[in-house]
Amino acid sequence: MKRVLMFFFACVLTVQSSWAQQAQLFSPMKDFTLYDRKGNEHKVSEFNGKYIVLMFTSQDCEPCKEAKSILDGFYNRNKDKAEVIAISADDKDSWLKEESNVSFHEWNDYNSAHDIGEEYYGLNLCPLFVIIHPNGNIIHISKARLGGFFRDLNENVPDAEIENILKGHKK
């Protein structure tokens, strides 16, 4: 009986922890200050009124590289209604040395973006994806699951190329 109760309480704590994370969905986004490669200060709220895709990334993250490539095309096709911001978890010096070849925004907090991901979204690993509705509410939070992220993105900002990618993953 004692083991059954311990198992039950462990399950309850796990569910409560996931509820806390889920509770952030559909709540207002948190705004924070970040910097571009030229040192200019930015806030996520600069893009209120558009869909905002946040991708927490780092240089040595292979899924991040794949996602960046897909998001670059997505951004070029949809920049009238969506903004993409890659938030680097790399230290400032490493990040500034990194060669960038994407057309969307790449920002850094000059500290450790893992703190932002953990503090605001309950996750501290890369890639972490967040989609923010034009009304400022969070509509998607996921870690490292490209398929689920791209499915939710495509539901909110339909894109033929992402649709083709998703069809390819189903095969």
Side-chain angles (χ1 to χ4, degrees):
M1 179 70 168
K2 195 175 194 178
R3 286 184 186 191
V4 171
L5 284 174
M6 287 174 54
F7 176 75
F8 172 76
F9 286 119
C11 290
V12 168
L13 289 174
T14 302
V15 169
Q16 285 178 339
S17 142
S18 73
W19 283 343
Q21 187 177 338
Q22 292 291 321
Q24 293 180 8
L25 289 175
F26 310 110
S27 65
M29 71 168 192
K30 303 277 186 183
D31 204 10
F32 38 86
T33 302
L34 298 159
Y35 302 90
D36 63 25
R37 292 183 189 276
K38 295 178 182 175
N40 298 315
E41 190 174 285
H42 296 277
K43 291 193 175 282
V44 175
S45 61
E46 291 175 24
F47 302 117
N48 284 348
K50 287 184 167 185
Y51 284 94
I52 302 169
V53 176
L54 301 179
M55 180 177 112
F56 291 81
T57 182
S58 69
Q59 291 177 28
D60 57 352
C61 169
E62 290 303 318
C64 297
K65 292 173 186 173
E66 179 184 354
K68 273 186 171 184
S69 174
I70 295 168
L71 285 172
D72 193 40
F74 169 83
Y75 176 70
N76 285 318
R77 292 185 300 274
N78 296 285
K79 59 177 97 177
D80 59 321
K81 56 189 165 205
E83 294 291 337
V84 176
I85 305 168
I87 301 172
S88 176
D90 297 312
D91 67 81
K92 178 183 175 182
D93 293 334
S94 298
W95 177 67
L96 290 172
K97 290 176 187 171
E98 177 188 21
E99 288 191 32
S100 173
N101 59 354
V102 295
S103 54
F104 56 79
H105 310 281
E106 292 185 291
W107 296 347
N108 190 300
D109 70 348
Y110 289 176
N111 214 351
S112 172
H114 284 295
D115 294 344
I116 293 173
E118 189 169 10
E119 181 181 344
Y120 294 130
Y121 302 109
L123 300 167
N124 66 350
L125 58 109
C126 295
L128 165 63
F129 300 101
V130 179
I131 303 173
I132 301 167
H133 190 275
N135 67 12
N137 289 337
I138 298 165
I139 57 175
H140 176 92
I141 302 171
S142 70
K143 59 178 180 176
R145 287 180 262 140
L146 297 181
F149 161 68
F150 284 118
R151 235 182 335 280
D152 280 3
L153 180 59
N154 195 51
E155 285 177 15
N156 289 283
V157 186
D159 182 84
E161 290 296 319
I162 290 183
E163 181 69 30
N164 287 335
I165 290 168
L166 290 170
K167 287 178 184 176
H169 277 121
K170 289 180 184 177
K171 293 180 181 177

